[in-house]
């Protein structure tokens, strides 16, 4: 948190049919519906999240990610980062307070990778769902499905990874935690963090800008990943791969698809990062093992990402 | 144990190169080498097994299974079963005591599936490795690799499942615990047990007789299956599929290959069976889910079995 | 299963208040209520159990166990065992079909330990709850609380362990799987099994006959034991000890109390037994470690058992 | 990391006999010996730690903690914090580079709680043990015992919690993540963090200053906590309590003692914290549940801490 950016705070995902989407994100994934707005967007959160929401679903004709937002320490941080973004050459839109319900003003910009990101510092805090912060029990009863604990990160496919790293590192204070590098020194994957997590956002080099690979949600244990896999099967949900482990970050994971074709990850474990750590580097010829540690090869779907 | 057959007691596996095989079965799988004989065969066991050995490796020009042996309650059971086998129409070879080191006489016969099986009642008991049976610790220190606890069962491909079931059920006292049945009532997979385990031996219908799919070894936990997967990757061992769950028996599993191409399974959990339980039945059109519960489809390698 | 006794089939437990008891056994422990009878008894089962019920609660003025019943292979086994019991010197009451709902005739006798046991061969089979045996999912949704999978065994305190062993071994075909023995050779604890489980019933030497220590229920994993412990705390249920491991059987366990003071165990894992295995023996001066493997001492409550 | 303090970087522990201590910290706990110095101190680390060492053992006549050190982002942070400490009224000793081998200059001060702390920014980085940061495997082979992954935090007993919080929060940039408060508003326990972890250092109110409760080491899973408990039993190591869960932070834990009487904790899981999170508050009358979530009462040893 070198520049006051704390964490991934929300992601807005486009879905083709809201009712179907809610079966996925609420009944299967286990997020909690907390609100809706007059645009018809539905607001969700994982139970450990203190802020009011972290996932916003918007019905649209095409699946994908509208934007990902990072929460900052306070409003003055936001002002400083606004200057930094402008100096970097980003056009910044200031979206007024309340455009997302109970969320303060947001600074919107497009990264060189082609993705829209936001910074904000204020969101209503409703506390951990079902447990609060006064003599809290270990976990709340009444959770559904996979019981995802929090929105954790996104993996995005896009252009110009170098300049995207410059932006996230130099302007926003992220560290490069892990990377995949070709023999001639080109970075084809970069995992960035503003905290101890192995990644708060990750990018894979892709000829088209602004593509969405997955939004990821945190689970506590490898048993939870198994439960997720079982539920994916029981609900006849389209699976991508898993349960398995990643080489990059070493998280234990499963990928599956929402009814609109957006990929969802749930995972547990994984490495931690501090700002004095050298990046972990994988050679590009080990990309298969870096992504899927057990199979040691990419499945054909891995390179598929949504607009 | 309706007829005195207790459990799978040993399997003899052919390997192309003994030194390479021992890296697989001892260093990776974690079996313990307990003896060798003047034929060059190597004897192994899992640490929880009370008898001296359960796996015998034999160097040969072709991989596969020589035979699988079941331990019976006592020598008089053996005599009774000898009569039963003959009455059923099996030719029975009596292999003298000592042909396998520290093992009593064995009754060898070929099942209608085309596989060689043995019955025996006597084998030297050396106790659980590293813990014994006097104030035993929870587990021994010094185990290697995947730390397989015991030889558990074999899955075999072959012909004439109906008659094979008749033999195992009526002569040997096994139960049909699980099966896969086509719409016209043909049983294409049968999982047989002489105890509480969901399977002591399993058969899949195949046009060629006597083929070997895998030998399976028991682990304690899903964490152990993950450790196995990690070790398979670290040792660059050829993986087939997993970690995943089976639909049949619901065991949690991973398949991988020894250097000779023999498939090894390690798994944990799974259903239990008592003699009054109706068989669990899977429809053949759900075969994918029955075999690989999460992916819900067979991988291309599943139908490959060794001679 | 040397004599046709398959497994613990039911236990009838006395509770002081049925409504309170059901909160414990259904909402917390996760058994499923399947029926009631005109005596006011309530019938429960764990979700993996194929038979209609395994726990019967009876409201009474004093807590404890009325009887424990073992299911046998068939009615002819029952007749044989009737003869055996009489020859051993047991008085046997034949309780007619239907006295427990949907249960066949039961043979009731008192063991030398002072406990009432029953044998029966017929009970309505309703199948695994929520999954059945046709293309069964891995587990049913909608289970409550600790999600106990099955009634597993009882631990009983009583007199005359030697003669009790004679009865269970010689007449009923059980094996002595584990024991605790004093330096002068007196067996002060004996764990008996009719199957692969480390114990189907266990006895600890006690000056008073017929006392009840606990009924035990099986869980799948050590994570499940943690969940149980968490739920015990959340519901302010009286805990005895755990999560911990036993030395005897090496099961992973937690003990807690129902509102009437009956002790409940849930556990996972543990050793397996075959009839050719020598008993595991613990020295009496290691009793602390044999019972509670981590603390290596008995807690003050361990010796408390109900009438 | 509001002021550039990153994490607990080391702790120096006094032991009565170095050889006995190494059996505990290396063979049982699984730390790796990395160096010794001419004072006879032994340097250890957990395998995931990038810096050269995190635990320093010093032979002395009395057990306890000499000091705990926090690593800062860079040397200029150190200069700023030096000013802050002086302004707060702390006497600061500057310990020259090399006094601890391969460690830069350290700023030593005594907190109002009576404990000695240090800040430093430079230590030799030797990388994760056995895996490094180039195509790293999931974990290294050859770890011993409990396989502790890293030094995580200390729990300290001492005086003047309010002023200690002022120092850590206002000067060093820590957050108050969790606390225990009496009905009259006195904070009797405070858990402080400079990162996402629920605690980097914790204090419990005690009439005597500068007392040591435990040093804590991180494990990956609840299975690892069980393995730790098993190894504690197998090595006849004195156990305090566990496996269990804490209410505060919800970590899953076990406490045990080194041969000198220093308490060691290993734990996994636990809540995460961000700077915008309100502190979690436990009422002092729930202290038992806050500390030991399952037993809901303190054991008699909990209040015992070393000088």
């Amino acid at each position: 948190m070198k520049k006051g950016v704390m964490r991934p705070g929300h992601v807005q995902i486009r879905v083709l049919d809201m009712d179907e989407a809610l079966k996925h994100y609420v009944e299967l994934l286990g997020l909690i519906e907390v609100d809706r707005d007059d645009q018809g967007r539905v607001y969700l959160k994982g139970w450990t999240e203190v802020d009011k929401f972290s996932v916003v679903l918007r019905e649209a004709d095409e699946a994908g990610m509208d934007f990902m937002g990072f929460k900052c320490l306070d409003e003055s941080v936001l002002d400083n980062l606004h200057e930094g973004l402008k100096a970097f050459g980003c056009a910044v839109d200031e979206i007024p307070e309340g455009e997302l319900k109970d969320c303060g003003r947001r600074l919107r910009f497009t990264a060189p990778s082609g993705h829209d990101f936001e910074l904000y510092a204020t969101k209503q805090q409703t506390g951990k769902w079902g447990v609060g912060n006064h003599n809290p029990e270990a976990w709340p009863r009444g959770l559904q499905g996979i019981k995802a604990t929090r929105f954790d990160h996104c993996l995005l496919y896009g252009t110009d990874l170098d300049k995207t790293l410059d932006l996230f590192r130099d302007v926003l204070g992220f560290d490069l935690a892990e990377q995949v590098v070709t023999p001639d020194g080109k970075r084809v994957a970069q995992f960035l963090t503003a905290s101890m997590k192995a990644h708060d956002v990750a990018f894979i080099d892709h000829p088209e800008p602004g593509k969405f690979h997955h939004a990821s949600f945190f689970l506590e244990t490898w048993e939870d990943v198994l439960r997720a896999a079982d539920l994916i099967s029981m609900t006849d949900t389209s699976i991508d791969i898993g349960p398995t482990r990643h080489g990059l970050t070493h998280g234990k994971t499963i990928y599956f698809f929402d009814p609109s074709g957006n990929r969802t990850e749930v995972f547990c474990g994984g490495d931690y990062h501090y700002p004095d750590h050298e990046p972990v580097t994988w050679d590009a010829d080990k990309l298969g093992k870096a992504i899927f540690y057990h199979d040691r090869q990419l499945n054909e779907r891995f390179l598929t990402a949504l607009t």
Side-chain angles (χ1 to χ4, degrees), chain A:
Chain A
M1 203 190 63
K2 290 172 183 164
K3 306 269 188 174
V5 178
M6 289 194 296
R7 66 171 172 271
H10 56 238
V11 60
Q12 183 164 306
I13 297 171
R14 294 187 300 273
V15 298
L16 305 183
D17 179 292
M18 186 59 75
D19 290 340
E20 289 303 306
L22 290 174
K23 281 183 200 156
H24 179 85
Y25 289 96
V26 174
E27 293 178 27
L28 176 58
L29 184 56
L31 298 180
I32 297 141
E33 182 180 330
V34 293
D35 211 342
R36 300 192 177 207
D37 68 19
D38 49 20
Q39 293 180 42
R41 292 183 297 189
V42 180
Y43 296 65
L44 311 172
K45 71 181 282 184
W47 74 268
T48 69
E49 293 176 308
V50 163
D51 287 343
K52 178 172 172 173
F53 65 86
S54 61
V55 172
V56 181
L57 301 178
R58 180 172 74 85
E59 205 170 78
D61 291 337
E62 194 175 27
M65 180 184 88
D66 280 338
F67 55 80
M68 179 183 181
F70 295 97
K71 192 175 190 192
C72 302
L73 196 54
D74 56 38
E75 293 290 334
S76 68
V77 162
L78 224 52
D79 292 329
N80 292 337
L81 295 174
H82 198 160
E83 292 310 304
L85 287 168
K86 284 194 294 189
F88 186 82
C90 283
V92 178
D93 278 340
E94 183 148 341
I95 298 170
E97 181 186 343
E99 195 278 334
L100 283 170
K101 266 177 112 166
D102 298 311
C103 184
R105 65 177 174 131
R106 294 131 62 205
L107 303 183
R108 173 87 57 87
F109 60 96
T110 303
S113 64
H115 301 90
D116 287 342
F117 292 100
E118 301 182 345
L119 305 175
Y120 68 97
T122 304
K123 192 183 280 180
Q124 188 188 354
Q125 292 206 325
T126 52
K128 291 189 187 180
W129 185 85
V131 295
N133 60 14
H134 184 211
N135 303 329
E137 299 292 357
W139 37 269
R141 304 179 74 168
L143 291 170
Q144 293 187 70
I146 292 171
K147 304 183 187 185
T149 68
R150 67 166 185 246
F151 167 52
D152 189 87
H153 67 269
C154 287
L155 174 60
L156 306 172
Y157 280 30
T159 47
D160 210 344
L161 262 56
D162 282 344
K163 209 164 164 207
T164 302
L165 174 58
D166 290 345
L167 170 65
F168 274 84
R169 185 181 53 202
D170 301 339
V171 178
L172 302 177
F174 283 66
D175 290 319
L176 175 64
E178 309 220 358
Q179 59 183 340
V180 180
V181 178
T182 64
D184 55 355
K186 180 179 162 66
R187 204 183 318 99
V188 295
Q190 57 195 19
F191 285 48
L192 308 178
T193 181
S195 66
M196 277 186 72
K197 290 161 52 191
H199 45 4
D200 284 329
V201 63
F203 296 91
I204 288 186
D205 183 58
H206 197 76
E208 293 167 276
K211 294 179 79 74
F212 177 52
H213 191 269
H214 71 255
S216 182
F217 299 86
F218 195 68
L219 301 182
E220 267 212 87
T221 71
W222 177 233
E223 295 281 339
D224 291 337
V225 176
L226 175 66
R227 276 189 77 256
D230 289 343
L231 285 162
I232 287 164
S233 185
M234 287 178 198
T235 55
D236 230 348
T237 299
S238 176
I239 193 172
D240 182 5
I241 196 167
T244 188
R245 187 196 278 279
H246 294 303
L248 285 151
T249 80
H250 297 118
K252 296 153 247 175
T253 181
I254 188 165
Y255 285 172
F256 53 113
F257 294 99
D258 82 3
S260 307
N262 294 297
R263 196 185 265 98
T264 302
E265 177 184 48
V266 290
F267 80 108
C268 74
D271 300 329
Y272 61 92
H273 179 87
Y274 281 105
D276 61 331
H277 287 193
E278 290 293 312
V280 170
T281 301
W282 287 80
D283 296 327
D285 64 2
K286 302 264 194 220
L287 185 64
K289 186 168 179 178
I291 302 295
F292 299 127
Y293 186 66
H294 299 144
D295 284 348
R296 285 158 279 158
Q297 58 186 18
L298 301 183
N299 64 359
E300 63 198 31
R301 287 180 297 264
F302 184 74
L303 297 175
T304 310
L306 293 170
T307 303

